[in-house]
Amino acid sequence: MTEDADSETFRAALIAGDMDALRLIPKSDLHNHIVAGGTPDLLPGASAGYLEHKLRSMDEMHAWVDGHYGKFLSSAEGRFEAIHATFTSAKRDGVTLLAGGEDIWAPTAFDMTAETLTDTLKRIHRAAAPDLEWLPQLDMSRHCPVEALNAWLIPFLELGFYRTMDLSGDEFAQPIEAFRPLYREAKAQGLRLKAHVGEWGDADSVWRAVEELELDEVQHGIAAAQSPAVMRFLTDHRVRLNICPTSNVMLGRVDSMTEHPIRNLFEAGVIVTVNTDDMLVFGQSVSAEFLNLFRAGCLDAFALDEIRRNGLVSS
Ligand SMILES: [Zn+2]
């Protein structure tokens, strides 16, 4: 892929360790759980700081979020304030393309319709970061019964507004095949399809999810680096992996930033991007993550610039 007008400046900013310059360069965040995607300083009513020690499981992660932000994020008002903080944080970091959305159970939990919830998100986007391109996303939790997910999903799909769909939560809650009907419905509506796999699961789980759900993108998918065959499959099918380096280190999926498998994936030709996951927890912006990978010696400035541009290619 050819360089863009910002490539040279981006590489120089990495080498100089210049965060202010990095923030001025266009970049994407395609893996951002927007209810936990802002920085704590923007949430004075809730601010409880970042995660400071490594965790060993998603249960520990959910317990940490509950303990620190659970009360705040249990109301619709708190969640909307948190989403506002996410758009503001992204703008501050120079993110020009952000994918994300609420979980589809939210209208039921907060006594709203899919339409009123969506209108609120549109208002927040316009108020906080109107110049940032937002790819509105439908998020589903993997532990929810498929019949419930289907009932929640339909009114959102009928709006014709959403661009992407994602599945997250415990990777082992239900077999991936269970979600195939939901993904077929979303595909029929033209949505770009994603799911969280290969963070806790193995390389084969990534391959199986891409085939079963016809995924365009995988959230994390780092386990694919364990298998040359799976990496070849992802490369051949141009499936993009949206990777969150600090999240992987803090949740013990990767030993260190230096040894992060994004390097092997990139060198094998897999299309990868760098993203934040949950900035409220991990505290690293997209610009910071690029610098983290560079300083750790994981990838050089040319590779990181190509990865930056991978995220800006329109789908
Ligand atoms: Zn995630």
Side-chain angles (χ1 to χ4, degrees):
M1 204 202 307
T2 51
E3 297 194 357
D4 65 21
D6 300 299
S7 291
E8 202 178 324
T9 318
F10 180 74
R11 289 195 301 266
L14 281 176
I15 291 161
D18 186 341
M19 272 296 286
D20 290 336
L22 285 172
R23 284 196 195 97
L24 294 172
I25 311 283
K27 62 190 83 72
S28 63
D29 193 353
L30 306 173
H31 182 162
N32 178 321
H33 301 272
I34 65 170
V35 172
T39 59
D41 63 293
L42 293 167
L43 296 172
S47 186
Y50 298 120
L51 174 66
E52 284 167 3
H53 56 278
K54 291 188 184 186
L55 301 177
R56 288 162 300 184
S57 68
M58 283 301 281
D59 284 347
E60 285 191 8
M61 157 94 175
H62 290 142
W64 188 91
V65 173
D66 271 353
H68 288 74
Y69 293 100
K71 193 157 176 284
F72 185 73
L73 298 179
S74 63
S75 72
E77 295 71 27
R79 293 174 78 86
F80 292 142
E81 196 180 329
I83 291 168
H84 192 287
T86 297
F87 278 109
T88 304
S89 298
K91 183 174 77 174
R92 227 162 42 173
D93 190 45
V95 169
T96 50
L97 180 67
L98 174 73
E102 253 288 16
D103 208 296
I104 59 172
W105 54 250
T108 307
F110 302 120
D111 198 19
M112 309 174 85
T113 65
E115 189 168 14
T116 53
L117 174 75
T118 302
D119 287 344
T120 305
L121 297 182
K122 287 180 190 174
R123 266 201 305 279
I124 293 170
H125 171 223
R126 274 199 305 272
D131 298 331
L132 173 156
E133 187 185 351
W134 173 41
L135 293 174
Q137 178 167 298
L138 299 172
D139 282 2
M140 304 188 297
S141 294
R142 194 150 165 177
H143 67 273
C144 296
V146 170
E147 306 78 59
L149 289 171
N150 190 53
W152 296 330
L153 180 61
I154 287 167
F156 277 109
L157 290 179
E158 283 172 351
L159 297 174
F161 172 70
Y162 286 88
R163 306 270 300 275
T164 64
M165 185 166 88
D166 188 16
L167 177 71
S168 64
D170 179 2
E171 269 186 59
F172 307 110
Q174 297 182 69
I176 202 74
E177 296 78 10
F179 304 95
R180 195 165 44 195
L182 306 173
Y183 274 78
R184 291 298 183 277
E185 285 172 49
K187 190 183 172 77
Q189 302 289 325
L191 273 70
R192 204 169 156 82
L193 305 180
K194 308 170 163 179
H196 279 61
V197 276
E199 179 188 16
W200 301 89
D202 62 10
D204 284 344
S205 74
V206 177
W207 187 324
R208 201 164 62 249
V210 170
E211 285 206 318
E212 289 286 344
L213 306 182
E214 299 187 27
L215 300 179
D216 302 293
E217 304 178 33
V218 170
Q219 306 296 72
H220 297 299
I222 52 172
Q226 295 158 8
S227 164
V230 175
M231 288 196 285
R232 202 156 47 240
F233 169 79
L234 295 172
T235 304
D236 289 348
H237 291 82
R238 302 190 58 73
V239 175
R240 183 163 67 184
L241 304 193
N242 300 320
I243 294 174
C244 310
T246 294
S247 167
N248 297 150
V249 172
M250 294 303 278
L251 294 181
R253 308 322 299 150
V254 167
D255 286 340
S256 71
M257 200 60 81
T258 307
E259 290 158 49
H260 196 289
I262 190 171
R263 177 179 181 164
N264 295 343
L265 291 159
F266 176 79
E267 287 175 353
V270 179
I271 303 168
V272 294
T273 64
V274 165
N275 310 273
T276 58
D277 212 0
D278 304 279
M279 208 165 35
L280 191 61
V281 181
F282 304 114
Q284 302 296 305
S285 69
V286 182
S287 297
E289 289 289 52
F290 277 119
L291 197 53
N292 290 337
L293 289 165
F294 180 76
R295 283 183 169 154
C298 181
L299 288 160
D300 68 22
F302 282 90
L304 289 166
D305 181 56
E306 186 174 331
I307 290 168
R308 176 186 69 82
R309 285 179 281 119
N310 284 343
L312 296 172
V313 173
S314 68
S315 44

